[in-house]
Amino acid sequence: MATPTAYAQPQDQGQPKKPAQAPVPNQSKNPSLKSVLDNQMVMHQADWTLTTFLAFVSEKTKAHFVIQEGLEKLPVTSHSMQGTANEVLHKTLDSKGIAIARVGLDNIYVALRPPSNGPMPKDPSQSIQDPSLDKSVTVSLKSAPLHVYLDAVAKQADIKISVNTAIGNKPFTAVVQDMKVRDIFFVVVLTKTLTYHKNASGVYEFAQAK
């Protein structure tokens, strides 16, 4: 099948479109916050894995996607259409039960399968008062053990982290620049189905979500 083509361009202000209702649990309510997924695309029909499809959308929109563990090779089919990148994502992924969750105020998105028996996971940092979570860090590690990634974040933010071996040895990839610690932690929560809390000693403990 021929390689699909797409392009991103500013949305036509003369013909406003109704915004797609994306499941974005950490979406800001500030109407002035514009997402790169609001840009227009032309997409042609093609077969992909979830990883290659999102890489293509990322190239055209400058959005950064992180994929929930186990979904990387999920087969998806895009359709011939023109619309916002958000609409393209919905048209391609809704039938597969895949949601796109925005993390923080930057253009970081997580592709995940929402829980079948409950709401989308919430950001654990919402109940934690700690200025360290608002520190910005830069980490560029690919397919590194999760504990190595978290250690790199902890070192820059001057915090302590605890994660057991079974969880900590899982591979993790997320290239982030000047991203808040709380947002990085939420990416980990969403992609690895984890949760965390700050214990009485001030250590952030990560565990499998129930």
Side-chain angles (χ1 to χ4, degrees):
M1 185 171 294
T3 302
T5 59
Y7 63 90
Q9 62 183 22
Q11 187 169 351
D12 183 0
Q13 298 301 318
Q15 298 179 348
K17 295 179 181 293
K18 183 179 179 180
Q21 299 299 311
V24 285
N26 205 30
Q27 178 85 39
S28 169
K29 295 181 181 180
N30 182 353
S32 66
L33 178 65
K34 181 174 176 60
S35 166
V36 292
L37 298 187
D38 292 331
N39 289 344
Q40 292 277 317
M41 300 181 62
V42 169
M43 177 64 75
H44 297 288
Q45 183 170 347
D47 295 323
W48 316 76
T49 64
L50 182 58
T51 297
T52 56
F53 171 68
L54 292 179
F56 184 76
V57 176
S58 176
E59 178 184 351
K60 301 305 177 182
T61 63
K62 308 307 179 187
H64 180 70
F65 295 95
V66 184
I67 301 174
Q68 187 178 47
E69 184 178 17
L71 298 179
E72 297 88 349
K73 297 182 180 180
L74 180 74
V76 299
T77 300
S78 59
H79 304 270
S80 296
M81 64 175 292
Q82 179 174 352
T84 66
N86 209 351
E87 290 168 342
V88 170
L89 288 165
H90 274 280
K91 182 73 172 180
T92 306
L93 301 180
D94 281 359
S95 63
K96 294 291 185 176
I98 303 300
I100 300 295
R102 188 173 187 174
V103 176
L105 304 182
D106 297 318
N107 289 302
I108 307 293
Y109 301 86
V110 174
L112 73 160
R113 198 182 296 280
S116 58
N117 58 349
M120 293 279 282
K122 294 184 178 180
D123 184 352
S125 74
Q126 293 179 352
S127 61
I128 301 173
Q129 299 296 323
D130 185 352
S132 295
L133 293 179
D134 290 316
K135 291 182 178 179
S136 295
V137 302
T138 296
V139 183
S140 180
L141 293 172
K142 296 183 179 180
S143 298
L146 179 59
H147 73 88
V148 173
Y149 197 97
L150 291 176
D151 285 346
V153 174
K155 184 176 181 180
Q156 292 184 52
D158 194 24
I159 58 178
K160 295 181 179 180
I161 291 177
S162 174
V163 56
N164 66 42
T165 302
I167 296 173
N169 284 337
K170 291 183 176 182
F172 184 74
T173 296
V175 178
V176 301
Q177 184 173 0
D178 295 330
M179 188 174 180
K180 289 184 178 181
V181 173
R182 68 173 71 248
D183 293 340
I184 296 176
F185 282 0
F186 194 34
V187 169
V188 172
V189 166
L190 292 172
T191 58
K192 297 298 184 183
T193 320
L194 303 179
T195 188
Y196 69 87
H197 71 280
K198 186 179 181 182
N199 67 21
S201 300
V203 177
Y204 286 90
E205 294 183 333
F206 284 78
Q208 199 70 45
K210 296 181 180 180

